[in-house]
Amino acid sequence: MPTFFAKSTGETIDEHTKKLLIAFDILSNYAKLTDEDKFIIIKLISYHDLGKKNPEFQNRMRKKLGLNERFDWNRGNVPHEWLSPAFITQQEEKEIKNKLQLMGLDIDRFFNYFIFCILSHHNRENQIPDNGLICSVVDWMNSNFQLCLEYYYDVFRLLSTYNTSENRNIWNLFFPYRVKWLGSLIKSDYSASAGIDPETPYSGSYHAQFNNFLRKKGFNLRDFQKEAKKSSEKSIILVASTGMGKTEAAINWINGQKAFYLLGIRTAVNAMYNRFKNIFGDNVTLLHGESSYFFAQEENNEYDYDIRIEKARKLSYPLTIATADQIITSVFKYPGFELTYLTCTYSKVVMDEIQSFSPASIAAIVVFLKEIHNLGGKFMLMTATLPPFLMEELKDIGNIEIFKPQLLKINRHRIKIVEEDICMEGTLELIKNFKDKKILVICNTVSKAQKVFKMLKETGGYDASLIHARFINKDRKKKEYEIIKANSPCIWISTQVVEASLDIDFDILLTENASIESLFQRFGRCYRKREYQEELPNVYIFSSTPSMIYDEYLFNKTWDILKEDYNEKVITENDKQEIINKIFYDIKNTNYWKNYKKQKDLLEIGYRSLSRIQAESDFRDITNNYLIIPNPVYENNKEIIDCLLQFIDDRSKNRMERIKKQAEFMNYTMPMQIFNKQVKNLEDINKSIFCRKHNIKIMKNVEYTYELGLVIEQLQAEENDNII
C-alpha cells in the first residue's frame, strides 16, 4: 500500500490520528465524559481522516511535498470527511452500535449521528455533495487500493437532518452529544494540527498566588468573598457596589479551576488581564480582536508567538480574560461552535457587568449561560445593578446561589437635576463654582461632547481635555493614560467610553440624562470609593434626548423618577437598587424589552449564524463596520503609513516583523460604522492588500485634531447620532 499523507508537512494519516488520540487523552481529563462517550469519541478520531486516502487529496499532498508519483485521477474533489465513514467496517459498526445500546440510545439514529459527527468536523455546510462523484471516488479506491468500501450513507440527508436547528425535537435530542462528541473531535483535531495540547495544566499553586497577592495588598476577604469559594460548585449571581471587591470574589469562586472572565470592551479586558497576570503569571491569556498584536509586542520568537496565539484561540489556557464576543457568539451556533461549548462545560464563566450590553446582546448572554449551565458548566453573573427581569430569567435554573446584594454603607452621591441642555450657561457657571476640583462631563454623543469642549474653551476660557470613540488608536491610548493620571484641578469631557472601562475617580460629575443603568455607571466615575458628606450636590444631571442610543421609555422614566424623588438628595446604594427595580418594573411595551425578547426568541427557536463573523455582527448588532484613517491623519503621516503598508504587504519579509508593523499601523486607525452618504467619502489606501482584507479605508472630507478627534459635517453627524 502507498504512504497516505494527512498534512503537507509529510505527516501521515496514521501519525496524525495518533496525535489526536494523545490530545484526546489529555482532553478527557478535563471534559465531563463517560467511558461510553470516550469509546465513541476514540472511534470518531480513528475514522475522521481516513477519507484523505482519496486520490485527489493524496495528489495535492504529493505535489506540495515535491513527489513525482501521482495517482491517475482527474474527476474532481470530494471533501475527505464525506468519504471517511465509508471506511467503517461491519464489525466496527456492530461494536459502535453495541456501545450505543449500552448507553440506552436508539442505535440506528445515533449511529447515523456518529457518521454525522465525522462528516461535520470541518465546516462545509455551504457545499452540496455530489453522490455520483462520491461513489466514483469510493469505487476508484476499492479498485486501486484493494479496499471494500461502501457509500451506504447519504451525506446531504445527514447534514440536512442534524444541522437543521429549527427542528427543535431533533436538535435538542442530539445537542448534548453534539457538544461532547463533535466538540471533542474538533478540539482534539485542531489542537493536534496546531501542535499544542488541548488543555494546559495550571502551573504553580493558584491559591498560594492569590493569598500572596492578598497579603501584599493587605486585603482581608469580606464574608461574601469567602462565601463565593464555598459556592464554587454552583453558579452564582452577585450584585455588589463598585469598590466592594467583585473581582476578588470571582477569583475565590474560580477556586483554581479553568475559567473565562468576560467583559464588554477591550480597554476593560486589557486592564483585567494585567490585573490577573500580576497575580497568576503565565497561566493567564488575553483574547480579543487585537490580542495577536498585543502578543507580537511581547514575543520575538515566531514559534513562541504562534503557540501563544494558538493556545489562546483554542481556549487552552487555565485562565482567559476575553471580550464577551469571543465566547458568547458561539450561542449563534456557527459552524464549529461545538469547541467553545465543550470547553465551557468543564470551565467556569465569569460575566462582568451584563447591564452594560445592548438588550439583544444581553439576550444572547442569557441563552448562552443557561445552555452551558444545563450542560454542566458554571457561571458567575456579577454586576452593580441587575434589572429584575434578568433575575427572573435565571433564578430557577437549579444549582444556583443568589447572593444577598453587597452594597457600600457610605454615601457617595448627592444629585441635582438641571432642566437645561448641557451646552448652556449653566454648565459654565457650575464649572466656575468648582474650578479647583476634578470635573468630569459626560455627553451622550461625540458631536455633543465636541460642542461642549468648544464652549468651555472658547467661551469659558477653560483648559479642558476631550476623550471619545472618534480618536485614532494612538491618540485614544494617550488620552486614556492622561485621564487615569489626571489630578485636580482639571476638566475632562467624555462620552460613554469612560463608563466601565477606566479606573478613574473625579470630584464632580456633569452628565446628560441617560437610561438608568448607564447613568449609574457614570456615577461610578465620581467618588468611586469615597464618602461624600457635602451639602452641595456632586452629580448634576442635565436634560437631554434619547437620540438613537437609549430606549425612550427607560430614558424618560429615569428622568422622571430622579427628578420627582431624588432631586438634591443623597442617593444611597439601596436607593440605586430600588430605582432600577422601579424603572424596569413594567417594560413589556418598551423597545428595550422587544429587542431583548426578539433576540432571545430567535435563539430559542433555533436561529444559527452562517459564520463566526456573522455571529459577531449578530451579537453586537453592529453592521457596516470599517477601520478608517481620517484624511488629515493620512496626509500628515503619509510617509510613515505608506512605508508600513509596503512592508506589511511584502510577504517576503519576516512574518513576526510584519505583524509588529501591522500593530504599529493600526495606531493610525479607528473603528467606525459608515452609512449612506458617508460611504462616498471612503477611499482605498494605495491598493494595499492588507487594507482591502481588513476593510481599512481613508475617510475624506473630514477634519481631525488631537484636541477634538474626528469632526464630520453636521449632516453626516446626524446620520451617526448613535456614535459615542
Side-chain angles (χ1 to χ4, degrees), residues 73-321:
W73 174 266
N74 59 7
R75 278 174 278 173
N77 173 37
V78 174
H80 69 268
E81 68 272 19
W82 294 356
L83 298 164
S84 294
F87 287 79
I88 300 173
T89 64
Q90 288 186 345
Q91 179 59 34
E92 287 280 0
E93 178 180 340
K94 188 178 176 184
E95 288 179 20
I96 293 165
K97 286 184 173 177
N98 284 342
K99 193 62 71 176
L100 294 172
Q101 192 168 34
L102 277 175
M103 297 169 77
L105 302 174
D106 183 316
I107 58 173
D108 292 325
R109 294 181 78 188
F110 275 85
F111 182 70
N112 280 339
Y113 201 73
F114 176 90
I115 296 170
F116 163 80
C117 289
I118 295 175
L119 300 177
S120 304
H121 77 272
H122 288 289
N123 307 323
R124 295 187 229 268
E125 289 189 29
N126 58 342
Q127 293 186 29
I128 298 174
D130 179 340
N131 283 337
L133 184 58
I134 293 174
C135 288
S136 294
V137 181
V138 168
D139 291 342
W140 190 97
M141 288 192 287
N142 283 335
S143 298
N144 290 273
F145 299 150
Q146 290 75 54
L147 298 171
C148 298
L149 311 181
E150 186 181 350
Y151 181 47
Y152 56 92
Y153 47 94
D154 185 325
V155 174
F156 180 77
R157 186 179 63 79
L158 290 175
L159 291 178
S160 300
T161 300
Y162 298 116
N163 279 329
T164 304
S165 52
E166 290 84 358
N167 188 332
R168 301 310 285 168
N169 288 334
I170 291 179
W171 180 269
N172 290 336
L173 173 65
F174 291 99
F175 186 65
Y177 302 96
R178 183 173 189 133
V179 172
K180 286 191 290 187
W181 296 356
L182 185 51
S184 294
L185 173 58
I186 290 175
K187 184 147 184 164
S188 301
D189 191 17
Y190 290 5
S191 302
S193 297
I196 61 170
D197 290 340
E199 290 298 340
T200 304
Y202 194 92
S203 174
S205 169
Y206 180 91
H207 296 102
Q209 287 170 313
F210 184 41
N211 289 333
N212 188 43
F213 160 77
L214 294 174
R215 191 166 49 250
K216 281 184 179 175
K217 292 287 184 182
F219 291 165
N220 290 314
L221 291 177
R222 293 183 164 109
D223 287 344
F224 82 94
Q225 293 167 324
K226 295 175 185 171
E227 284 299 315
K229 185 175 181 178
K230 292 179 183 173
S231 300
S232 182
E233 294 307 311
K234 295 181 177 180
S235 291
I236 284 182
I237 295 177
L238 171 63
V239 177
S241 304
T242 302
M244 283 297 288
K246 291 193 292 291
T247 304
E248 286 73 19
I251 292 172
N252 224 17
W253 174 73
I254 290 169
N255 197 24
Q257 297 173 46
K258 182 179 176 69
F260 297 92
Y261 194 114
L262 307 181
L263 288 145
I265 55 179
R266 289 175 193 172
T267 310
V269 168
N270 289 340
M272 190 59 72
Y273 167 72
N274 288 328
R275 203 165 161 185
F276 268 68
K277 180 92 173 170
N278 287 335
I279 304 172
F280 302 111
D282 291 340
N283 293 297
V284 187
T285 194
L286 177 72
L287 188 60
H288 58 53
E290 293 184 356
S291 48
S292 58
Y293 300 135
F294 190 92
F295 294 148
Q297 304 303 316
E298 294 190 344
E299 296 287 354
N300 289 316
N301 182 291
E302 189 170 341
Y303 175 78
D304 292 342
Y305 169 81
D306 285 341
I307 292 295
R308 205 169 160 189
I309 290 285
E310 289 298 336
K311 284 174 65 177
R313 289 178 178 165
K314 304 297 182 299
L315 313 181
S316 301
Y317 276 91
L319 299 168
T320 300
I321 316 300

Side-chain angles (χ1 to χ4, degrees), residues 371-641:
E371 288 188 341
I372 63 152
H373 181 86
N374 290 337
L375 291 167
K378 298 177 186 66
F379 67 82
M380 180 174 186
L381 184 63
M382 56 185 202
T383 176
T385 51
L386 186 69
F389 74 90
L390 286 177
M391 186 68 84
E392 289 297 316
E393 285 276 14
L394 298 168
K395 68 178 185 180
D396 296 324
I397 61 174
N399 198 33
I400 187 166
E401 191 77 26
I402 298 169
F403 277 35
K404 178 184 172 186
Q406 302 297 314
L407 307 177
L408 284 171
K409 305 298 181 190
I410 60 173
N411 296 326
R412 299 183 292 158
H413 305 116
R414 183 187 292 275
I415 73 162
K416 181 175 175 61
I417 297 294
V418 183
E419 295 197 66
E420 67 175 39
D421 190 274
I422 200 167
C423 199
M424 299 289 283
E425 286 293 320
T427 299
L428 288 172
E429 194 63 33
L430 276 172
I431 287 178
K432 183 180 176 184
N433 293 342
F434 295 115
K435 62 182 179 182
D436 295 328
K437 303 288 187 183
K438 280 179 71 176
I439 302 173
L440 179 62
V441 183
I442 302 183
C443 302
N444 291 342
T445 64
V446 170
S447 56
K448 178 57 80 67
Q450 290 171 330
K451 196 174 174 183
V452 171
F453 175 83
K454 286 180 180 175
M455 179 187 75
L456 294 184
K457 186 176 180 183
E458 294 168 6
T459 309
Y462 292 107
D463 182 18
S465 301
L466 180 63
I467 183 171
H468 51 66
R470 281 200 202 138
F471 284 100
I472 59 172
N473 287 333
K474 182 173 68 168
D475 294 345
R476 171 91 175 259
K477 289 173 191 169
K478 188 176 178 188
K479 284 175 177 286
E480 285 174 355
Y481 177 81
E482 288 174 347
I483 193 172
I484 290 170
K485 297 295 180 185
N487 293 311
S488 57
C490 69
I491 305 168
W492 273 87
I493 302 151
S494 178
T495 58
Q496 293 90 327
V497 296
V498 299
E499 281 182 4
S501 59
L502 301 174
D503 188 7
I504 53 177
D505 186 12
F506 282 71
D507 301 323
I508 301 294
L509 171 65
L510 280 60
T511 173
E512 287 189 287
N513 185 45
S515 66
I516 192 63
E517 72 280 13
S518 180
L519 214 48
F520 283 161
Q521 287 288 111
R522 298 178 189 190
F523 283 18
R525 309 302 119 183
C526 175
Y527 270 74
R528 190 165 172 76
K529 298 177 187 176
R530 297 175 287 160
E531 183 163 16
Y532 188 70
Q533 296 177 316
E534 305 296 323
E535 289 301 316
L536 281 174
N538 60 346
V539 174
Y540 295 83
I541 305 169
F542 287 75
S543 173
S544 184
T545 57
S547 300
M548 294 166 61
I549 306 166
Y550 301 109
D551 178 88
E552 189 171 355
Y553 172 85
L554 296 176
F555 183 91
N556 291 331
K557 194 161 182 180
T558 297
W559 177 261
D560 291 343
I561 287 179
L562 293 180
K563 181 181 169 186
E564 289 171 14
D565 300 337
Y566 297 95
N567 191 18
E568 302 204 28
K569 293 180 182 174
V570 167
I571 291 188
T572 67
E573 298 304 307
N574 276 320
D575 289 337
K576 290 176 184 174
Q577 303 304 316
E578 286 181 15
I579 293 168
I580 285 282
N581 290 337
K582 282 181 187 174
I583 291 174
F584 280 91
Y585 172 69
D586 184 11
I587 59 170
K588 296 294 170 65
N589 291 320
T590 65
N591 288 329
Y592 181 101
W593 176 259
K594 288 172 185 171
N595 289 334
Y596 170 83
K597 195 73 171 50
K598 178 183 171 186
Q599 182 79 293
K600 182 166 172 283
D601 289 347
L602 206 58
L603 286 166
E604 289 181 343
I605 62 173
Y607 171 77
R608 297 183 67 197
S609 301
L610 294 174
S611 67
R612 179 163 185 152
I613 292 174
Q614 186 190 333
E616 287 170 2
S617 295
D618 289 335
F619 177 63
R620 292 195 178 276
D621 200 18
I622 292 175
T623 58
N624 298 66
N625 282 337
Y626 292 85
L627 282 176
I628 66 142
I629 301 176
N631 194 51
V633 172
Y634 179 70
E635 290 299 330
N636 290 334
N637 301 277
K638 191 172 186 303
E639 191 174 337
I640 298 172
I641 291 172

